[in-house]
Amino acid sequence: MPPKSYVVALEEHYQDSELKQHREGGVAERLDDVGALRLKEMDEAGIDLQVLSHANPGLQGVDGATGVPLARRINDRLRAAIERHPGRFAAFAAVPTADPKAAADELERTVTRLGFKGAMINGLTQGVFHDDRRFWPLYERAAALDVPIYIHPALPQQAVIEAYYQGYVDTHPGLLRAGWGFNVETATQGIRLVLSGVFEAHPGLKIILGHMGEGLPFYLWRITHGLSRTMGEKTFREIFCRHFWITTSGFFSDPALVCCMMEMGIDRILFSVDYPFVDNPPAAEWIKTLPLSAEDREKLLNGNARRLLKL
Ligand code: ZN
């Protein structure tokens, strides 16, 4: 047997004791824990480092007046939690996007003072997609700091639920989430960001999408073709493959991985679990049989994360 690889997982969630009143329940015990239980389950699965982020909707679920001061408290508490277990955790900041300038300032504070690796934002902010120009101060700052923004799903808007999913919400609540709703909305965020021109304005901007890129790698040829007449100098594919990284969070499928590798290259794909919404063991089993060369396996499990997050 080859020596065990160092394994970084970077879409791993927790919840803050104060912010959790703004989110619906589920897997509470594991979300609350940034200590013994989490470390035990990491060790059992061979996961060396988790990059922690607040469970959705995070600060995207609160208004600016609440979110701005709350963000500092949340991120300071997360930093304190991480310090209790040196070498086992890193963090993506929670940022109060309802006040984009304050969100940019909080990103900078957490990166420069707390050692955070970027930020995660969830779903929409007060019903607005994050390509809107009001949010660009956050992207400008992220590019200046050379840290990525992780775009994560949250529950679809009520009007979308009614138009797209009614009739199945009660019998199949997962349809709004990993069963489809999450993917559609977050892929739409990615497409809208490309169309917005934000990457031309901020060429250093780096975006991470979870869940194997929320389906976008699979659709890359067709989206590029469908938008080819109206794109500017660069194609959709060129912009996407230059500015986006994707993770395996909650998506442990060889065919999906191979598709993403063929479209984007292994250098753009990073291992993640999506703990605790997804259990560690299936991910740990999957990585034992990855259809990858030894070198590519190391890139997926730690090398790409080391480079992107400067670990
Ligand atoms: Zn997640």
Side-chain angles (χ1 to χ4, degrees):
M1 281 288 285
K4 182 198 155 313
S5 299
Y6 187 83
V7 179
V8 179
L10 72 160
E11 189 195 304
E12 318 310 322
H13 305 294
Y14 82 107
Q15 67 184 1
D16 180 86
S17 55
E18 188 180 2
L19 181 56
K20 74 179 180 184
Q21 63 183 303
H22 298 280
R23 69 180 305 281
E24 57 177 72
V27 295
E29 184 192 5
R30 284 174 170 77
L31 280 176
D32 285 336
D33 172 79
V34 184
L37 173 61
R38 183 177 293 258
L39 287 163
K40 174 175 167 282
E41 295 191 349
M42 287 167 66
D43 290 341
E44 286 167 357
I47 293 167
D48 296 282
L49 179 80
Q50 277 191 347
V51 185
L52 297 173
S53 49
H54 201 284
N56 80 82
L59 286 172
Q60 283 61 63
V62 299
D63 60 40
T66 309
V68 174
L70 182 54
R72 296 179 70 94
R73 298 198 292 274
I74 290 170
N75 290 319
D76 286 346
R77 280 193 287 265
L78 178 55
R79 161 73 189 217
I82 287 172
E83 279 180 338
R84 288 194 277 276
H85 307 284
R88 301 307 305 273
F89 298 115
F92 288 125
V95 290
T97 43
D99 183 338
K101 167 73 167 57
D105 290 343
E106 181 63 4
L107 174 67
E108 180 165 342
R109 187 186 76 89
T110 57
V111 170
T112 60
R113 306 230 184 121
L114 309 184
F116 285 15
K117 303 303 176 187
M120 177 176 284
I121 53 182
N122 302 276
L124 312 187
T125 293
Q126 292 164 333
V128 181
F129 277 96
H130 288 131
D131 58 292
D132 190 278
R133 279 190 176 259
R134 78 186 69 175
F135 301 112
W136 286 24
L138 177 64
Y139 303 129
E140 180 181 12
R141 200 74 60 90
L145 293 162
D146 193 26
V147 294
I149 303 289
Y150 202 128
I151 307 275
H152 188 276
L155 272 184
Q157 305 298 291
Q158 196 53 41
V160 173
I161 293 174
E162 281 162 23
Y164 276 44
Y165 304 118
Q166 92 181 319
Y168 299 96
V169 174
D170 294 333
T171 51
H172 300 283
L175 185 63
L176 302 180
R177 300 173 174 82
W180 192 239
F182 277 2
N183 320 339
V184 171
E185 186 173 272
T186 315
T188 305
Q189 293 259 38
I191 293 169
R192 292 181 62 110
L193 278 169
V194 171
L195 299 182
S196 73
V198 71
F199 299 110
E200 284 78 5
H202 305 295
L205 179 58
K206 297 171 176 174
I207 300 292
I208 306 174
L209 292 175
H211 319 108
M212 293 288 192
E214 309 289 359
L216 289 176
F218 179 83
Y219 285 103
L220 199 49
W221 192 96
R222 184 158 165 79
I223 294 169
T224 301
H225 183 72
L227 294 172
S228 60
R229 285 166 194 266
T230 53
M231 294 295 289
E233 222 171 89
K234 294 203 177 93
T235 65
F236 182 91
R237 171 187 293 280
E238 285 171 314
I239 298 171
F240 183 76
C241 289
R242 182 183 177 91
H243 293 279
F244 285 72
W245 281 255
I246 67 171
T247 79
T248 68
S249 56
F251 204 152
F252 314 132
S253 155
D254 284 352
L257 175 65
V258 170
C259 171
C260 292
M261 286 168 59
M262 292 179 75
E263 290 290 8
M264 302 181 73
I266 189 67
D267 291 353
R268 295 284 164 156
I269 311 172
L270 299 86
F271 176 71
S272 292
V273 177
D274 208 351
Y275 180 92
F277 299 105
V278 176
D279 294 331
N280 288 337
E285 284 305 306
W286 181 56
I287 61 179
K288 287 179 188 163
T289 59
L290 288 173
L292 298 177
S293 69
E295 188 183 337
D296 284 356
R297 183 187 150 82
E298 291 300 306
K299 285 181 172 179
L300 182 92
L301 295 179
N302 64 72
N304 295 338
R306 288 184 202 271
R307 267 188 300 281
L308 181 61
L309 306 183
K310 305 187 195 83
L311 296 173

